[in-house]
Amino acid sequence: MPRLTDIRKQALDEMMKEAFFEATVAVLNEHGVEGMTMDRVAAAAGVAKGSLYRYFRGKRDLLEFVFTKVVDPIFQAFEELAAKQQPAIELLSGHLEALLEHVAKHARVHRLLFEDDAAHGLLQPSERRTSEAAGRQMATVFQQGIEEGVFRPQDPLLLAHMYLGLTKGVLQSRPPLDEPEHRKDVHRLIIGTFLSGIATDKGRVAFDG
Amino acid sequence: MPRLTDIRKQALDEMMKEAFFEATVAVLNEHGVEGMTMDRVAAAAGVAKGSLYRYFRGKRDLLEFVFTKVVDPIFQAFEELAAKQQPAIELLSGHLEALLEHVAKHARVHRLLFEDDAAHGLLQPSERRTSEAAGRQMATVFQQGIEEGVFRPQDPLLLAHMYLGLTKGVLQSRPPLDEPEHRKDVHRLIIGTFLSGIATDKGRVAFDG
Amino acid sequence: MPRLTDIRKQALDEMMKEAFFEATVAVLNEHGVEGMTMDRVAAAAGVAKGSLYRYFRGKRDLLEFVFTKVVDPIFQAFEELAAKQQPAIELLSGHLEALLEHVAKHARVHRLLFEDDAAHGLLQPSERRTSEAAGRQMATVFQQGIEEGVFRPQDPLLLAHMYLGLTKGVLQSRPPLDEPEHRKDVHRLIIGTFLSGIATDKGRVAFDG
Amino acid sequence: MPRLTDIRKQALDEMMKEAFFEATVAVLNEHGVEGMTMDRVAAAAGVAKGSLYRYFRGKRDLLEFVFTKVVDPIFQAFEELAAKQQPAIELLSGHLEALLEHVAKHARVHRLLFEDDAAHGLLQPSERRTSEAAGRQMATVFQQGIEEGVFRPQDPLLLAHMYLGLTKGVLQSRPPLDEPEHRKDVHRLIIGTFLSGIATDKGRVAFDG
DNA sequence: AATGAATGAGTGTTCATTCAT
DNA sequence: GATGAATGAACACTCATTCAT
């Protein structure tokens, strides 16, 4: 039964990687990105340092794994939503909902990998890739919205960057996201602002004038 | 003539610091923040490593100098504008104009320190301080705008973060900023979006519905 | 058999530390304390510098290890003697005997750490501690002797310092200590001088007069 | 008048060296031996670092100058005393008196150069030379005393080392030396102990027995 | 003769990576 | 396959010494 053994082996591998993921997060939590050493990760995982290198080619590899593990679900959630062929605004809304939920669940890690901005040195490439991928993904929504006539015609990629930037800005101010109502508030704030702006009628007049 | 000598000395000091500034930027450019070592900066500046330490107390000091040199003008521009007692929207507009001009002038450095998000590990304290200071500064504008009745009443600090995030998002997509018209376009895009949102009337109906 | 492995591991650790001890002594011998660098110790031990740090937390740690290794046995010998509840003079005598034997055995290291007075900069704390501890330890002997009526009443701590100083003085003149008779001679000299002084009757008269 | 100029020059040189002496002592006082850098000495002396090197060939040279300046007077005092052709005991007594006075006057420096034992790394050669010179010097006294019949016949050099060691031991316990009476007490203690020992008659019996 | 900026070898220490067991 | 000891390149930083001005 080499087949079964292989499967089992693969499963074990996955479990190990999972363990390393959690160990890494724990270390990141306790020592920050600068203090994340392979020694500490191995110790946190309860294995010898050498073993780490059986599962990851190096530190960069490990961090990319962690990064991906945190980021990927958001992309997948989007893909799932997009598959449902909804109107752009609902797509946007649904995606934001999923995003906020995800951030709420992985608050600690998010803070470390995104807000504190400290890991970026080590995973710049994958970071940029991610950021760009997210931009492209969102751009399709805006493209769709423009076609639907609900968004003003504009470069969709630029819109995506603005939207993502605005969202990141809100998240960087660390609003409470634990309770569903909190998330609802933030959701309304982001979508409302991005769709309708912050100006009153008076303000809009002042601006146009 | 100790007076003249002193002045000359001070001028030389400034020139050295300027040279180190450029050397640091060059190293950051080539090796990223993680690869920015004192050795490399010294080599790039064409001096011995020890000399660096005559002008900066340490790596952190050097990086803060670079960071400040890039960031401070924006804050100062804001202060100058704010002193003029203008309406909030004009203040916002003026600040963005100054910002875009500044970014255009220091494009390379900006990319390194802000977009790539990479220097943050080493100057997190000053970085976070800066980010928060910028937030607070902008918040006063939004507060004023709310009082003027041109912005919808909302947490000014949150508005500031959204605005800054959105702006950062746009800059991250690296729009051309060399020509004044380019900047005008980006300016219009940001202000317009933030004040009026991206939705058409139809979109707004769809959203409210 | 984790038991055996652990023991073996511990033994290996001890051997490594022992090797570093000897390497350190060799380096101290050749380059003096100021010239004792971690590089040189590692080189003398024939290992990479990094390995040193697996066994010692730092330079101070290493030096303290060496120092302790040399000094501790003397203290322990004293404790053992003191436990035997002997008269003060025999205690003194016994301690000196043990000390001379110990110095004979570790002549080279002693010269480095004590006579040359050179290591002290780096281990001043532990040195001073040691010196004071030795003083206190000996003071109890003199206190006991005073109570027994065999020593003239005087500040015991001062007596201890005098005794230790005198002994150190003798050792600094590097008397031969290899043979038991040599040690016997030195022993007699020190004890005799400290107990009865160096003056003849005539000298005593001259002094008192 | 090149003659006068030369003399003046030499005098200036002496004054400079004197200033550096005091600056060095001040630095040693404030920062310890490990913290005594040429920079600090120059700053303390109020001159440029480069000037230091006009008067001293290097750090070792400077430290030797300071050391000598502190130690030499004791030797000279001895020479002066010795020239007076006194009995050995009075010579010893007179020398100790001068020594205690000297130590009292230069207490701070002494502590740094002798007790703290930290400078020795840098001036080991001159230190050893000094220690040996002192030994030889004192040995002549003991030799004389033996010839006078006031000291028991014994290796004079060994006696000298014992005497100096005992004295050093007393000084290391930092007895008060400010007042003449204090010094008198210490003087009596050292001379008394070294000449007559610390044993009572009972103790002597116990020892001989 | 004085200055102090420049030098650069050297210091202790860290840590990602390798590899013999 | 796991281990963890060994490695050694790198790093930030210091400071005695030199030398152009």
Side-chain angles (χ1 to χ4, degrees):
Chain A
M1 266 95 72
R3 194 68 162 284
L4 241 173
T5 310
D6 275 14
I7 288 171
R8 200 169 295 188
K9 211 176 286 183
Q10 220 170 333
L12 265 173
D13 264 34
E14 290 304 315
M15 284 174 63
M16 282 300 283
K17 284 197 154 197
E18 181 62 34
F20 283 129
F21 170 75
E22 276 168 33
T24 306
V25 169
V27 170
L28 283 170
N29 248 338
E30 197 175 350
H31 299 95
V33 175
E34 296 273 292
M36 194 215 99
T37 67
M38 297 300 263
D39 273 86
R40 286 213 246 254
V41 171
V47 301
K49 185 167 39 163
S51 301
L52 249 174
Y53 285 83
R54 188 158 295 285
Y55 297 93
F56 302 96
R57 235 171 310 163
K59 194 179 184 180
R60 182 187 283 338
D61 206 37
L62 170 59
L63 268 175
E64 262 178 26
F65 175 78
V66 172
F67 186 77
T68 303
K69 188 132 190 157
V70 170
V71 161
D72 257 20
I74 311 179
F75 283 87
Q76 280 175 16
F78 181 87
E79 301 290 355
E80 283 166 25
L81 273 173
K84 288 189 191 157
Q85 303 270 0
Q86 299 169 323
I89 289 183
E90 277 178 46
L91 203 48
L92 199 65
S93 171
H95 177 255
L96 182 57
E97 204 180 310
L99 175 68
L100 291 178
E101 218 163 305
H102 186 261
V103 171
K105 213 187 317 188
H106 298 88
R108 276 186 335 188
V109 188
H110 254 102
R111 209 157 302 156
L112 285 165
L113 292 182
F114 295 90
E115 292 181 37
D116 283 6
D117 280 328
H120 297 203
L122 277 164
L123 37 75
Q124 232 188 76
S126 81
E127 220 288 281
R128 181 153 293 287
R129 225 184 305 132
T130 299
S131 190
E132 276 164 19
R136 276 195 303 275
Q137 218 181 35
M138 293 310 300
T140 64
V141 185
F142 290 109
Q143 174 66 36
Q144 179 188 329
I146 290 165
E147 283 162 11
E148 290 172 7
V150 295
F151 297 153
R152 281 205 288 271
Q154 222 132 26
D155 177 358
L157 199 53
L158 215 42
L159 286 178
H161 275 122
M162 285 197 286
Y163 168 73
L164 289 170
L166 185 149
T167 304
K168 214 173 163 184
V170 171
L171 294 179
Q172 248 162 13
S173 71
R174 305 197 187 183
L177 295 171
D178 316 311
E179 305 300 324
E181 312 107 59
H182 292 154
R183 294 200 285 277
K184 198 106 194 183
D185 286 348
V186 172
H187 183 277
R188 234 193 314 265
L189 176 69
I190 292 174
I191 295 286
T193 303
F194 199 64
L195 293 190
S196 302
I198 67 161
T200 59
D201 287 343
K202 181 183 168 192
R204 219 172 329 253
V205 169
F207 173 58
D208 293 340
Chain B
M1 266 93 74
R3 196 66 163 283
L4 243 171
T5 310
D6 274 17
I7 288 171
R8 199 168 297 190
K9 210 175 288 183
Q10 218 168 336
L12 268 173
D13 261 37
E14 290 304 315
M15 283 174 63
M16 283 300 283
K17 283 197 153 199
E18 183 61 35
F20 283 128
F21 170 76
E22 276 167 32
T24 306
V25 170
V27 170
L28 285 169
N29 246 337
E30 196 176 351
H31 299 95
V33 174
E34 296 274 296
M36 194 217 99
T37 69
M38 297 301 263
D39 275 85
R40 284 211 248 255
V41 171
V47 301
K49 183 167 42 166
S51 299
L52 247 175
Y53 285 86
R54 183 165 293 281
Y55 297 91
F56 302 96
R57 237 171 304 166
K59 194 180 183 179
R60 177 177 250 64
D61 206 38
L62 171 58
L63 269 174
E64 260 178 24
F65 175 78
V66 172
F67 189 76
T68 301
K69 188 137 189 157
V70 171
V71 159
D72 256 20
I74 311 180
F75 281 88
Q76 278 176 16
F78 180 88
E79 301 289 354
E80 282 165 26
L81 274 173
K84 289 191 189 154
Q85 302 269 2
Q86 300 169 325
I89 289 182
E90 277 176 47
L91 203 49
L92 199 65
S93 170
H95 177 255
L96 182 57
E97 203 180 312
L99 176 67
L100 292 177
E101 218 162 305
H102 185 261
V103 171
K105 214 185 321 189
H106 298 87
R108 255 188 1 183
V109 188
H110 255 101
R111 211 159 301 155
L112 285 165
L113 292 182
F114 295 91
E115 294 179 36
D116 284 4
D117 274 333
H120 302 197
L122 275 163
L123 35 77
Q124 228 189 75
S126 82
E127 218 290 281
R128 183 155 291 288
R129 222 184 308 135
T130 299
S131 189
E132 276 165 18
R136 274 195 304 275
Q137 220 182 33
M138 294 311 299
T140 63
V141 184
F142 290 108
Q143 175 67 34
Q144 179 187 331
I146 290 165
E147 282 161 12
E148 291 173 6
V150 296
F151 297 154
R152 279 205 289 273
Q154 223 131 25
D155 178 358
L157 199 54
L158 214 43
L159 287 177
H161 276 122
M162 286 197 286
Y163 167 72
L164 290 169
L166 185 149
T167 303
K168 217 172 158 184
V170 172
L171 294 178
Q172 249 162 15
S173 71
R174 306 199 188 181
L177 294 171
D178 316 312
E179 304 301 324
E181 311 106 60
H182 292 154
R183 294 201 285 278
K184 197 108 192 183
D185 287 347
V186 172
H187 183 278
R188 235 193 316 265
L189 174 69
I190 292 175
I191 295 284
T193 303
F194 200 64
L195 292 190
S196 302
I198 67 160
T200 57
D201 287 342
K202 181 183 168 193
R204 221 175 324 257
V205 169
F207 173 57
D208 294 337
Chain C
M1 266 93 74
R3 196 68 162 284
L4 244 171
T5 309
D6 274 16
I7 289 171
R8 197 167 298 189
K9 209 174 290 183
Q10 219 168 335
L12 268 173
D13 260 37
E14 290 304 316
M15 285 175 62
M16 282 300 283
K17 282 197 154 199
E18 183 61 36
F20 283 128
F21 171 76
E22 276 167 33
T24 306
V25 170
V27 171
L28 284 169
N29 245 338
E30 196 176 350
H31 299 94
V33 174
E34 294 275 296
M36 194 218 99
T37 68
M38 298 301 263
D39 275 86
R40 285 211 248 253
V41 171
V47 300
K49 185 164 43 161
S51 299
L52 249 173
Y53 286 85
R54 183 164 293 281
Y55 297 92
F56 302 97
R57 235 170 308 165
K59 194 180 184 179
R60 177 176 249 66
D61 206 38
L62 170 59
L63 269 174
E64 261 178 24
F65 175 78
V66 172
F67 189 77
T68 301
K69 187 137 191 158
V70 171
V71 160
D72 256 19
I74 311 179
F75 282 88
Q76 279 175 16
F78 180 88
E79 301 289 354
E80 281 166 27
L81 274 172
K84 288 189 189 155
Q85 303 267 3
Q86 300 170 325
I89 289 181
E90 277 177 47
L91 204 49
L92 201 63
S93 172
H95 176 255
L96 182 57
E97 205 179 311
L99 177 66
L100 292 177
E101 217 162 307
H102 185 262
V103 172
K105 211 183 326 186
H106 298 88
R108 253 189 1 183
V109 189
H110 255 102
R111 210 158 303 155
L112 284 165
L113 292 182
F114 296 92
E115 295 179 34
D116 284 5
D117 273 334
H120 302 197
L122 274 162
L123 37 75
Q124 230 189 73
S126 82
E127 217 290 280
R128 184 154 291 287
R129 223 184 306 135
T130 300
S131 189
E132 276 165 18
R136 274 195 305 274
Q137 220 182 31
M138 295 311 299
T140 65
V141 184
F142 290 108
Q143 175 66 35
Q144 179 188 330
I146 291 165
E147 281 161 13
E148 290 173 5
V150 296
F151 296 153
R152 280 205 289 272
Q154 223 132 25
D155 177 357
L157 199 54
L158 215 42
L159 287 177
H161 276 123
M162 286 197 287
Y163 167 72
L164 290 171
L166 186 148
T167 304
K168 214 171 160 185
V170 172
L171 294 178
Q172 249 162 14
S173 73
R174 307 198 187 182
L177 294 171
D178 316 314
E179 304 301 322
E181 313 107 59
H182 291 154
R183 295 201 284 277
K184 198 106 192 184
D185 287 347
V186 172
H187 183 277
R188 234 193 315 266
L189 175 68
I190 291 174
I191 294 287
T193 302
F194 200 64
L195 291 190
S196 303
I198 67 161
T200 58
D201 287 344
K202 180 183 168 194
R204 220 172 329 255
V205 170
F207 173 58
D208 292 340
Chain D
M1 263 95 70
R3 195 68 162 284
L4 241 172
T5 310
D6 275 15
I7 289 172
R8 200 168 295 188
K9 214 177 284 183
Q10 220 170 333
L12 266 173
D13 264 34
E14 289 304 315
M15 283 175 64
M16 282 302 281
K17 283 196 154 198
E18 182 62 35
F20 283 128
F21 170 76
E22 277 169 31
T24 307
V25 169
V27 170
L28 284 169
N29 248 338
E30 197 175 351
H31 299 95
V33 176
E34 296 273 292
M36 195 215 98
T37 66
M38 297 302 262
D39 273 86
R40 286 212 247 252
V41 171
V47 302
K49 184 167 38 164
S51 300
L52 250 174
Y53 284 85
R54 186 158 297 284
Y55 297 93
F56 302 96
R57 235 170 310 161
K59 194 179 183 179
R60 182 189 280 343
D61 206 37
L62 171 59
L63 267 175
E64 261 178 27
F65 175 78
V66 172
F67 187 77
T68 303
K69 187 131 191 160
V70 170
V71 161
D72 256 20
I74 311 180
F75 283 87
Q76 280 176 16
F78 180 88
E79 300 291 353
E80 283 165 24
L81 274 173
K84 289 190 189 153
Q85 302 269 359
Q86 300 170 325
I89 289 182
E90 277 178 45
L91 203 47
L92 199 63
S93 169
H95 177 255
L96 182 56
E97 204 179 312
L99 176 68
L100 291 178
E101 217 162 306
H102 186 261
V103 171
K105 213 186 321 187
H106 299 88
R108 277 186 334 187
V109 188
H110 255 102
R111 209 158 303 157
L112 284 165
L113 292 182
F114 295 91
E115 294 180 35
D116 282 6
D117 280 328
H120 298 203
L122 276 164
L123 37 76
Q124 232 187 76
S126 81
E127 221 288 279
R128 181 153 295 285
R129 223 183 307 133
T130 298
S131 189
E132 276 165 19
R136 275 195 304 274
Q137 218 181 33
M138 294 309 301
T140 65
V141 184
F142 290 108
Q143 175 65 35
Q144 178 187 331
I146 290 165
E147 282 162 10
E148 290 173 7
V150 296
F151 297 153
R152 282 206 289 271
Q154 223 132 25
D155 177 359
L157 199 54
L158 215 42
L159 286 177
H161 275 122
M162 286 198 286
Y163 167 72
L164 290 171
L166 186 148
T167 303
K168 216 173 161 184
V170 172
L171 293 179
Q172 247 161 16
S173 71
R174 305 196 186 184
L177 294 172
D178 316 313
E179 304 300 323
E181 311 107 58
H182 292 154
R183 294 201 284 277
K184 198 106 193 184
D185 287 348
V186 171
H187 183 277
R188 237 194 312 265
L189 175 68
I190 291 174
I191 295 286
T193 302
F194 199 65
L195 293 190
S196 303
I198 68 160
T200 59
D201 287 344
K202 181 184 169 194
R204 221 171 328 255
V205 169
F207 173 58
D208 292 340

